Every structure is written in structure tokens, then in C-alpha cells.
Amino acid sequence: MLKVYTYAKCSTCRNAVKFLQSQNIPFKDIPIRETPPSLKELQGMLSAYQGQIRKLFNTSGLDYRAAGLGVKLPKMKDKDALSLLTTNGNLVKRPFAIDEKTHLVGFDETVWRNALGK
């Protein structure tokens, strides 16, 4: 089943959930702040995005800016960056949707429609 990590106050997340519901796509909604994606899920997403670690980060978030990750991230090893993401769901780009064959961060209806065969 598709796991979708969301934040309730995020309008983009709400739009993704509405899209999935409108397409009758079953999914499990997981609160990203309380339960960040696992290391294995993050590694899978990183691979799907050809190693572009920045794509997994919520670069517009307060936590990202407060930690100075705009400067630090390019110098970090992937394992250290992924470790940060597993411990702070605020840093993860959302929505974050994953299953065995689907790897999506952020919401673009056209991209999601194509990836989910709708």
C-alpha cells in the first residue's frame, strides 16, 4: 500500500490527499512530523531521485533555514543528511509518497497521475 507522509497544516499535502481520494487510490496517511520516513525509505527515495539529496529536503522550512542547511548540505555525506531526515520530519519534503514502485516528493498532479497510472 502507498504510504503518504503528510503534515495536516500543509495545503500541498491536503491537495495530494484529495487527489488520491478522488482517484480511489488506497493509501496510508502518516503524520510526517511525528513519524518521519525510515532510513530505508529515504534511501529508496534518494535512489529514485538519482542521488539528489536536496530534493528530499523541505528547503523552505524554518528548521532547514535555522540549521543553516543551505550552506551545510552540499558538504554533507548522504548518510549524515539522511540521518537528519530520519530524526526531524520537519526537514523532509512533503508530501512524501512511497511504496515498492512509487517514489514521489512534493505534489504535482501530472507527475503523480503518471506515476500512479491514473
Side-chain angles (χ1 to χ4, degrees), residues 1-39:
M1 176 177 289
L2 184 67
K3 290 183 184 179
V4 183
Y5 292 86
T6 65
Y7 175 52
K9 295 183 181 179
C10 169
S11 62
T12 305
C13 293
R14 288 192 304 268
N15 289 339
V17 166
K18 284 179 190 174
F19 167 77
L20 293 170
Q21 290 170 336
S22 75
Q23 299 301 309
N24 296 314
I25 297 171
F27 66 98
K28 180 176 182 182
D29 193 351
I30 302 168
I32 199 165
R33 294 175 102 184
E34 294 82 2
T35 310
S38 70
L39 179 58

Side-chain angles (χ1 to χ4, degrees), residues 65-81:
R65 287 180 276 169
L69 289 170
V71 173
K72 293 178 185 174
L73 188 58
K75 301 171 190 168
M76 290 178 80
K77 293 183 179 186
D78 285 350
K79 71 177 188 108
D80 296 328

Side-chain angles (χ1 to χ4, degrees), residues 1-117:
M1 176 177 289
L2 184 67
K3 290 183 184 179
V4 183
Y5 292 86
T6 65
Y7 175 52
K9 295 183 181 179
C10 169
S11 62
T12 305
C13 293
R14 288 192 304 268
N15 289 339
V17 166
K18 284 179 190 174
F19 167 77
L20 293 170
Q21 290 170 336
S22 75
Q23 299 301 309
N24 296 314
I25 297 171
F27 66 98
K28 180 176 182 182
D29 193 351
I30 302 168
I32 199 165
R33 294 175 102 184
E34 294 82 2
T35 310
S38 70
L39 179 58
K40 183 178 177 182
E41 290 170 330
L42 289 161
Q43 289 169 331
M45 193 68 77
L46 181 61
S47 177
Y49 281 85
Q50 292 80 39
Q52 297 178 58
I53 193 76
R54 191 171 185 277
K55 294 263 187 189
L56 306 187
F57 277 83
N58 177 11
T59 58
S60 61
L62 294 176
D63 288 15
Y64 181 88
R65 287 180 276 169
L69 289 170
V71 173
K72 293 178 185 174
L73 188 58
K75 301 171 190 168
M76 290 178 80
K77 293 183 179 186
D78 285 350
K79 71 177 188 108
D80 296 328
L82 293 175
S83 178
L84 270 178
L85 293 171
T86 63
T87 59
N88 185 343
N90 287 338
L91 290 173
V92 182
K93 176 109 175 144
R94 57 188 186 247
F96 183 103
I98 190 165
D99 67 14
E100 304 82 36
K101 56 189 175 196
T102 306
H103 297 82
L104 300 164
V105 291
F107 178 65
D108 176 315
E109 185 174 330
T110 303
V111 171
W112 281 47
R113 190 176 296 281
N114 290 336
L116 297 168

